[in-house]
Amino acid sequence: MAAAPSNRVRRSREAVTRIVRAEPFGRVLTLAHVAIHTGRTHQIRVHLSAIGHPVVGDPLYGGVHRRVPGDVRAVTHLDRPFLHAARLAFTHPGENRRMEFTSPLPADLERVLGELRETFNPDLHEP
């Protein structure tokens, strides 16, 4: 059974996402540093899910797991997706000048990342 065609016209637009750096945690998790060149709604979440690597804690695009291996259990402490904009840069549309903003990783994500690094890379951490 097919649905009736929608009267709403959808325009598809190009969206470009690039993984610029990756830090693996075992075989099931990777911290991905991502650069987007377009800025579409949910772009990072959609693209990572499409390649089989959804954002941890993302209920909409498949990043929530009921069963989590013991070595990555730290992710169960999250109440939200592990997604953070560390840097935003764009040209101001009215003033035509370059704007750039940076933000450190929030404490909840920093805690989870610290636990993962201690589990998978203990030699890289000071006692």
Side-chain angles (χ1 to χ4, degrees), residues 38-106:
T38 44
R40 308 287 179 240
T41 303
H42 299 208
Q43 178 175 330
I44 294 170
R45 297 163 68 193
V46 169
H47 285 180
L48 290 177
S49 182
I51 63 170
H53 298 283
V55 173
V56 167
D58 185 352
L60 187 58
Y61 294 100
V64 175
H65 300 290
R66 301 283 184 253
R67 293 184 178 164
V68 178
D71 55 356
V72 294
R73 184 100 27 207
V75 300
T76 62
H77 303 304
L78 289 173
D79 294 327
R80 65 185 185 98
F82 197 119
L83 191 60
H84 173 67
R87 180 178 162 270
L88 294 173
F90 58 91
T91 301
H92 190 283
E95 300 174 13
N96 200 34
R97 65 184 174 110
R98 191 73 175 157
M99 308 286 290
E100 185 171 328
F101 305 91
T102 60
S103 174
L105 196 63

